C-alpha cells in the first residue's frame, strides 16, 4: 500500500495520506526514537528558538556541545570588543604573511607589551618578525604576561584541570611552572601519574639528546595516555625535545597549537606550518580554523566548504555578517544570509528574523543597509516622507518642490528653529497633515526640542512622541487618527469612527 509522505516544516509531526485514511503522529513520541543529530534543519530550528543570533557570549552556551563552533564563538567573543578587532579579523595567517589586503602588521597595530621585559613570555629569539608574532598571539588570546598567565593557571588548578594548566605552562615556555603544577596535583586517582611525569620532565631538562631505548619507552607510554591529550602532549615533547608531533595532534585545540608554533618555531618553519594548516582547515571546512584564515577571502572559502559539508547555513550567515557588506563584498555571503532569512520566514520565526536584521545593522552601523524601511508615512500632497527634518531654504527637487534635507545644527540653533517649525504640517510643501477622526486635530509628532518642553511642563511627564501620538489608520478604508484615540474608540465600537463609512475596522485589526 502506497501513501504520500509529508513532514511539517517545524519537524514535529509526520503525515501519511492513503486513499481513504490520513495518519499523523509525532516521530519523537515513539519509544527510543529521536531525530538524527545530523538533521541540520531541526538543529538550526532548535538553535534559533533558543536565541542563537549574533551575540557571541550567548552563542557559546547554545553550541556548547559542538566543540568546533564553541571554539569559534569563544574566539569571536574575545576579540569582538577589542579596538584591534579589524586586525584580528584578518586571521593569524594573514597577520603573519601580510598577504591579506597587501598589509603587514606594524608596531602601531600590535598590542602593547609589558614595559618590564622580565614579565614577558618567551618568543623565539631568532625571529625577524616579533611584531607579527605578538599580533598573532593577541589574536589567539594569549597576549599575556607571565603574571597574567600565572593567574589563569591558578584558576585552572582551582577547577582541578591540572593537565590543561601544566600543558598551557609548557606551551608558553614555563616548564618550571608545569613541573610545580603536576607535582602539586591533588587528584588521588591520577596524582602518582602526574608526579611521575613531572619527575621525568625535570630529569630531561637541559638534555637535548634522546637515545633509541628512551624513545621506544616513551612511545609505549604515549599510547597509554590517549584519554589524556594534555599529558600526552607534554610526554610527546619530553620524548623528542621537539614540538612537531604536538603541532600535528588533532586532540589539542587549534588555538593552543597556534600558540606553540608562534612561540617556538623558526620563521621559515612557522610560515610552512601555517600554510599547511590553512589548506587543511579550508578543505575540511573546520570553522575553528577561522582564527587562522580570518573572515575575509580565505575565511569565506572555508565557510563555503563548511556549508557544503554540514548544511549549517545559519552559522555561516552569522559569521559572514560580521564583515559583510561593509568590509567585503561576496555573493556567497549574501546567499547565506538570504537563505537563512528565508528559512526563518518559512518557520514563522519572524521575531528572530527581525532581530537578525537589527543585529546585522548594528554591526555595520547602518541598519538601513541590511534591512531598509518597509513602511513610510508620506504627505498626501507632495509624497515626501514625514519626519523630524529641517527644510533648508532654496533646496528644491528637479520638479521645483522643496525637499527634506538632514541638517546638523547646534543646540541653540535647534531651539531657535524649533519655534518656527510647525509640527502639524508637511515640512516640504507646508500643507496641513490629515486630521484625527476623533479629536479633529491635525496629526503630527513634536520635534525633539518641543517634545522635551512639553514633557517638562506636563505634570504626569507623559512623552507626547510615544505610541499614543503615533499615526494609525485602517488598511482598508484609510481613515485613522492618534493611536490612543483609536484604541479607546475600538474598545467600545467595531466600525470606523468616520461618518458614512461602513468599514468594520476592528475585525481587521485583530
Amino acid at each position: 500500500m502506497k501513501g504520500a509522505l509529508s513532514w511539517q516544516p517545524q519537524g514535529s509531526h509526520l503525515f501519511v495520506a492513503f486513499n481513504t485514511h490520513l495518519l499523523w503522529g509525532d516521530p519523537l513520541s515513539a519509544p527510543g526514537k529521536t531525530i538524527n543529530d545530523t538533521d541540520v534543519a531541526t538543529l538550526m530550528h532548535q538553535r534559533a528558538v533558543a536565541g542563537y543570533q549574533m551575540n557571541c557570549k550567548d552563542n557559546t552556551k547554545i553550541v556548547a556541545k559542538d566543540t568546533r563552533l564553541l571554539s569559534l564563538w569563544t574566539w569571536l567573543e574575545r576579540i569582538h570588543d577589542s579596538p584591534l578587532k579589524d586586525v584580528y579579523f584578518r586571521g593569524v595567517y594573514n597577520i603573519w604573511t601580510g598577504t591579506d589586503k597587501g598589509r603587514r602588521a606594524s608596531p602601531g597595530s600590535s598590542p602593547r607589551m609589558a614595559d618590564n621585559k622580565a614579565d614577558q613570555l618567551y618568543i623565539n629569539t631568532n625571529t625577524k618578525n616579533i611584531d607579527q608574532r605578538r599580533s598573532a598571539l593577541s589574536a589567539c588570546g594569549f597576549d599575556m604576561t607571565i603574571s597574567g598567565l600565572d593567574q589563569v593557571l591558578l584558576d585552572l588548578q582551582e577547577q582541578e584541570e591540572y593537565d590543561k594548566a601544566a600543558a598551557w605552562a609548557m606551551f608558553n615556555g614555563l616548564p618550571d611552572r608545569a613541573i610545580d603544577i603536576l607535582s602539586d596535583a591533588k587528584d588521588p586517582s591520577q596524582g602518582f601519574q602526574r608526579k611521575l611525569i613531572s619527575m621525568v620532565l625535570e630529569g630531561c631538562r637541559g638534555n637535548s639528546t634522546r637515545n633509541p631505548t628512551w624513545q621506544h619507552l616513551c612511545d609505549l607510554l604515549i599510547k597509554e595516555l590517549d584519554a589524556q591529550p594534555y599529558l600526552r602532549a607534554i610526554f610527546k615533547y619530553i620524548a623528542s625535545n621537539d614540538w612537531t608531533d604536538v603541532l600535528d595532534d588533532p586532540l589539542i585545540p587549534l588555538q593552543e597549537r597556534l600558540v606553540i608554533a608562534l612561540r617556538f618555531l623558526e620563521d621559515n618553519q612557522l610560515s610552512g606550518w601555517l600554510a599547511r594548516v590553512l589548506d587543511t582547515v579550508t578543505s575540511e571546512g573546520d570553522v575553528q580554523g577561522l582564527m587562522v584564515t580570518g573572515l575575509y577571502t580565505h575565511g569565506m572559502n572555508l565557510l563555503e566548504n563548511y556549508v557544503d559539508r554540514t548544511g549549517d547555513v545559519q552559522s555561516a550567515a552569522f559569521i559572514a555578517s560580521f564583515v559583510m557588506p561593509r568590509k567585503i563584498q561576496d555573493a556567497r555571503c549574501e546567499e547565506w544570509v538570504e537563505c537563512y532569512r528565508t528559512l526563518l520566514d518559512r518557520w514563522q520565526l519572524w521575531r528572530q528574523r527581525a532581530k537578525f536584521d537589527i543585529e546585522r545593522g548594528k554591526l555595520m552601523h547602518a541598519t538601513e543597509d541590511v534591512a531598509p524601511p518597509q513602511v513610510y508615512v508620506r504627505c498626501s500632497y507632495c509624497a515626501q516622507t514625514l519626519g523630524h527634518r529641517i527644510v533648508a531654504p532654496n533646496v528644491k527637487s528637479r520638479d521645483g518642490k522643496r525637499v527634506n534635507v538632514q541638517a546638523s545644527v547646534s543646540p541653540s540653533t535647534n531651539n531657535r528653529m524649533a519655534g518656527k517649525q510647525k509640527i502639524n504640517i508637511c515640512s516640504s510643501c507646508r500643507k496641513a497633515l490629515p486630521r484625527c477622526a476623533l479629536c479633529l486635530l491635525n496629526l503630527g509628532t513634536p520635534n525633539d526640542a518641543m517634545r522635551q518642553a512639553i514633557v517638562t511642563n506636563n505634570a504626569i511627564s507623559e512623552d507626547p512622541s510615544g505610541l499614543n501620538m503615533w499615526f494609525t489608520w485602517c488598511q482598508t478604508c484609510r481613515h485613522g487618527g492618534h493611536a490612543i484615540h483609536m484604541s479607546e474608540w475600538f474598545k467600545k465600537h467595531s466600525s470606523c469612527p468616520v461618518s458614512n463609512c461602513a468599514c468594520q475596522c476592528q475585525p481587521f485589526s485583530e
Side-chain angles (χ1 to χ4, degrees), residues 2 30 55 63 70 96 118 148 233 256 262 282 339 384 397 423 453 509:
K2 298 181 179 180
N55 184 303
V63 301
L70 176 61
W96 173 251
E256 296 166 23
L262 290 166
T282 301
C339 180
Q384 289 286 330
S397 62
I423 62 175
S509 66

Side-chain angles (χ1 to χ4, degrees), residues 200-472:
V200 174
L201 179 58
E202 174 65 31
C204 292
R205 293 184 60 195
N207 183 8
S208 59
T209 59
R210 302 288 190 270
N211 61 57
T213 302
W214 168 266
Q215 184 69 51
H216 176 67
L217 290 174
C218 287
D219 290 341
L220 292 177
L221 289 174
I222 288 172
K223 294 179 180 179
E224 300 293 328
L225 296 172
D226 283 344
Q228 298 165 276
Y230 285 113
L231 285 182
R232 187 177 67 172
I234 295 174
F235 219 86
K236 280 184 176 181
Y237 175 72
I238 294 174
S240 61
N241 196 33
D242 186 17
W243 288 107
T244 303
D245 290 341
V246 180
L247 291 174
D248 296 331
D249 189 346
L251 295 180
I252 301 298
L254 178 59
Q255 176 190 23
E256 296 166 23
R257 286 184 279 149
L258 285 169
V259 173
I260 297 173
L262 290 166
R263 293 204 183 279
F264 297 103
L265 294 187
E266 301 292 337
D267 286 352
N268 59 338
Q269 292 176 319
L270 179 58
S271 297
W273 184 78
L274 285 176
R276 291 195 300 273
V277 171
L278 178 77
D279 292 339
T280 300
V281 296
T282 301
S283 61
E284 293 179 354
D286 184 354
V287 287
Q288 67 175 336
L290 285 170
M291 68 179 69
V292 178
T293 64
L295 300 186
Y296 298 114
T297 304
H298 291 305
M300 295 305 109
N301 294 337
L302 186 154
L303 279 178
E304 181 178 19
N305 290 329
Y306 171 74
V307 173
D308 290 343
R309 181 174 60 84
T310 66
D312 182 12
V313 70
Q314 182 184 49
S315 297
F318 292 157
I319 297 165
S321 295
F322 281 101
V323 292
M324 192 277 295
R326 285 299 179 89
K327 298 185 182 298
I328 63 170
Q329 296 289 338
D330 193 308
R332 294 170 296 182
C333 300
E334 296 176 4
E335 183 178 355
W336 297 330
V337 168
E338 289 306 315
C339 180
Y340 181 56
R341 295 179 76 247
T342 302
L343 274 176
L344 291 175
D345 286 339
R346 288 180 178 176
W347 288 333
Q348 300 181 10
L349 298 178
W350 295 299
R351 183 182 297 272
Q352 285 82 348
R353 195 261 296 158
K355 186 175 181 180
F356 177 41
D357 289 338
I358 293 171
E359 292 300 320
R360 289 171 57 225
K362 288 180 180 179
L363 284 176
M364 294 297 104
H365 307 293
T367 308
E368 64 272 11
D369 287 351
V370 294
Q374 298 170 324
V375 177
Y376 296 89
V377 178
R378 295 183 180 274
C379 174
S380 58
Y381 296 99
C382 66
Q384 289 286 330
T385 58
L386 304 176
H388 295 165
R389 299 187 178 184
I390 298 172
V391 180
N394 302 322
V395 178
K396 299 182 179 181
S397 62
R398 291 181 179 180
D399 57 3
K401 296 180 180 180
R402 283 183 294 182
V403 297
N404 289 333
V405 295
Q406 190 70 41
S408 177
V409 296
S410 65
S412 59
T413 305
N414 188 37
N415 290 335
R416 185 168 60 253
M417 298 186 72
K420 298 179 181 180
Q421 186 176 0
K422 295 183 178 180
I423 62 175
N424 55 1
I425 63 173
C426 171
S427 58
S428 178
C429 68
R430 317 299 290 179
K431 296 291 182 65
L433 298 182
R435 294 179 182 273
C436 173
L438 292 167
C439 71
L440 301 182
L441 295 177
N442 294 99
L443 297 173
T445 304
N447 58 30
D448 294 338
M450 186 172 292
R451 183 189 59 170
Q452 186 61 40
I454 295 175
V455 172
T456 303
N457 297 322
N458 188 351
I460 61 174
S461 297
E462 183 178 357
D463 189 342
S465 70
L467 179 61
N468 289 351
M469 294 293 289
W470 282 17
F471 295 15
T472 181

Side-chain angles (χ1 to χ4, degrees), residues 469-481:
M469 294 293 289
W470 282 17
F471 295 15
T472 181
W473 60 92
C474 174
Q475 293 295 307
T476 302
C477 66
R478 306 298 182 183
H479 295 143

Side-chain angles (χ1 to χ4, degrees), residues 41-113:
T42 301
L43 185 60
M44 287 192 296
H45 183 272
Q46 291 172 346
R47 287 174 176 170
V49 172
Y52 192 43
Q53 283 282 347
M54 298 184 66
N55 184 303
C56 301
K57 185 176 181 179
D58 291 344
N59 288 352
T60 57
K61 301 175 183 178
I62 295 172
V63 301
K65 295 182 179 180
D66 189 319
T67 56
R68 297 179 187 273
L69 280 177
L70 176 61
S71 175
L72 168 64
W73 286 111
T74 302
W75 173 65
L76 288 173
E77 179 187 6
R78 183 183 303 112
I79 70 173
H80 184 254
D81 293 329
S82 169
L84 295 175
K85 69 177 181 180
D86 287 341
V87 176
Y88 302 153
F89 277 167
R90 293 168 58 199
V92 171
Y93 178 81
N94 293 314
I95 291 173
W96 173 251
T97 62
T99 54
D100 185 69
K101 297 188 178 181
R103 297 180 299 179
R104 293 186 67 85
S106 63
S109 63
S110 301
R112 182 178 177 82
M113 295 291 105

